[in-house]
Amino acid sequence: MQRFVVSLLLTVLSLSLYAKEQTRQILRLPDIPGVEILMCDFHMHTVFSDGTVWPTVRVGEAWQDGLHALAITDHIEYLPHKEDVKGDFNRSFEIAQNSAKALNLTLIRGAEITRSMPPGHLNAIFIKDANALQTEDWRDAVKAANDQDGFVFWNHPGWTGQQKDGKARWYQEHTDLLDSNWVHGIEVVNNDEYYPEVHQWCLDHHLTMIGNSDVHNPIAMSYDPVLGEHRPMTWVIAAENSPQALKQALLDGRTIVYWQDTLIGKEEFLRPLFNRCVSLSSSELNFTESSTILLQIQNPSDLQFTLKAENPPPGISYAESIDVPADRITLFQIRWDKKTPLPDLLQLDFVASNLWIAPGKGLPITFQFMTK
Ligand SMILES: [Zn+2]
Ligand SMILES: [Zn+2]
């Protein structure tokens, strides 16, 4: 116990040596009753495989980026630094553990099973012993992860290192994995790549949508927050902020992938999020004074939305596309031609084009107004 306290103190001290000016990003989202949105990155590397940073640096970066949880997933089969960096497959997790505790982050033990296609690369997280994943046959590695109650997902299926045209392909091996219930999710997004085929597979096979950085170098070399850039994240819609609730939500497929300016996920998760971010200044349109009405679209969140108009009703006109920036109120002008009679209940249809509920399909949004 004493040893643990001393090592925790040393961790806090070593953090504080450089932490004086460190800050954590806060991404403001609306409160959704009964759930916590946990921001996670489940795929990253350290010097213990082919990454270039020490494990504690990954924790510091995750804290700065506003994450709640991270998994360090060093390769099992690819260890280019092994002559210089000794340690077994659990070592990167063990080294990072105290830093995560000190910063109140959930650190998940993980590893990347790194095989040729098929089946390609698979991450196993929430495992208990990464060393057991070092096997001759890839099936034994995936079985070992499942025997440990791990959550397994298929990484970057369209990675050009394994698919020259960048197109993800489903093989018999993946059907076998699915039939055995040995794979639970797929990366729809890896780093700067989005795989539309994978997005559809997740919907068809009830696999959890995952988005990760797969970062190898310091994260700041890839994403500049000053330019508004951020690493891809998996937002897990959990009952509470605990490792158990996080894992359960992953198994239940309760995720949203946050990639560039886009949110990718099931309609059932994206709709309540949008509805709690965006509201209109009025639900009435009274054209008695003027044929033009200015409404205000409020968005106090840190998310931005793009709304594309769909089939405006007869006699009514407004912008074809409305940008709803983060933390702003946006004017929304609606015109009536005064000739076309209006229904009592006027419905304006849009598509939120940066909220993807299926490949190429944005979230349909309807604003309803009383016209009397
Ligand atoms: Zn990989
Ligand atoms: Zn990787």
Side-chain angles (χ1 to χ4, degrees), residues 207-227:
L207 288 160
T208 304
M209 296 180 201
I210 307 279
N212 293 317
S213 70
D214 197 1
V215 66
H216 287 69
N217 292 318
I219 195 92
M221 290 173 73
S222 301
Y223 310 98
D224 185 348
V226 176
L227 300 176

Side-chain angles (χ1 to χ4, degrees), residues 28-177:
R28 277 167 306 166
L29 298 182
D31 281 335
I32 299 181
V35 300
E36 291 266 354
I37 298 183
L38 305 179
M39 300 186 184
C40 309
D41 187 352
F42 300 121
H43 191 166
M44 61 190 78
H45 298 274
T46 75
V47 289
F48 284 86
S49 61
D50 59 345
T52 58
V53 310
W54 193 247
T56 52
V57 175
R58 289 288 176 239
V59 176
E61 291 171 340
W63 181 82
Q64 287 187 320
D65 286 355
L67 297 186
H68 300 90
L70 70 152
I72 295 174
T73 52
D74 280 313
H75 298 285
I76 298 287
E77 295 85 352
Y78 183 54
L79 305 169
H81 309 314
K82 67 172 179 236
E83 294 308 316
D84 298 302
V85 184
K86 312 286 182 198
D88 68 12
F89 296 107
N90 291 309
R91 195 63 194 134
S92 47
F93 171 85
E94 289 164 1
I95 290 170
Q97 227 175 351
N98 280 347
S99 303
K101 242 177 225 146
L103 293 171
N104 201 21
L105 297 185
T106 297
L107 178 68
I108 301 156
R109 194 187 299 260
E112 182 167 10
I113 301 166
T114 312
R115 305 294 176 125
S116 51
M117 188 72 83
H121 297 190
L122 297 151
N123 266 8
I125 61 172
F126 289 102
I127 52 173
K128 297 174 180 83
D129 176 16
N131 293 324
L133 276 54
Q134 191 180 29
T135 62
E136 191 78 30
D137 189 321
W138 64 265
R139 284 182 177 81
D140 294 330
V142 182
K143 182 177 186 303
N146 277 277
D147 286 347
Q148 297 178 25
D149 283 329
F151 178 90
V152 178
F153 57 91
W154 179 11
N155 296 339
H156 48 70
W159 173 47
T160 49
Q162 292 190 321
Q163 299 288 9
K164 281 201 166 47
D165 58 1
K167 196 172 148 52
R169 285 175 184 77
W170 184 278
Y171 296 84
Q172 179 60 43
E173 283 78 356
H174 301 113
T175 301
D176 296 345
L177 283 170

Side-chain angles (χ1 to χ4, degrees), residues 276-324:
R276 289 198 164 256
C277 288
V278 173
S279 61
L280 289 178
S281 53
S282 174
S283 58
E284 276 176 32
L285 295 178
N286 188 338
F287 288 104
T288 47
E289 302 279 311
S290 163
S291 59
T292 300
I293 290 178
L294 277 178
L295 289 177
Q296 302 191 20
I297 306 175
Q298 291 132 356
N299 176 21
S301 80
D302 281 337
L303 299 176
Q304 65 176 70
F305 303 96
T306 305
L307 303 179
K308 305 276 184 201
E310 297 267 293
N311 312 315
I316 294 287
S317 56
Y318 46 92
E320 279 174 24
S321 177
I322 306 170
D323 284 325
V324 182

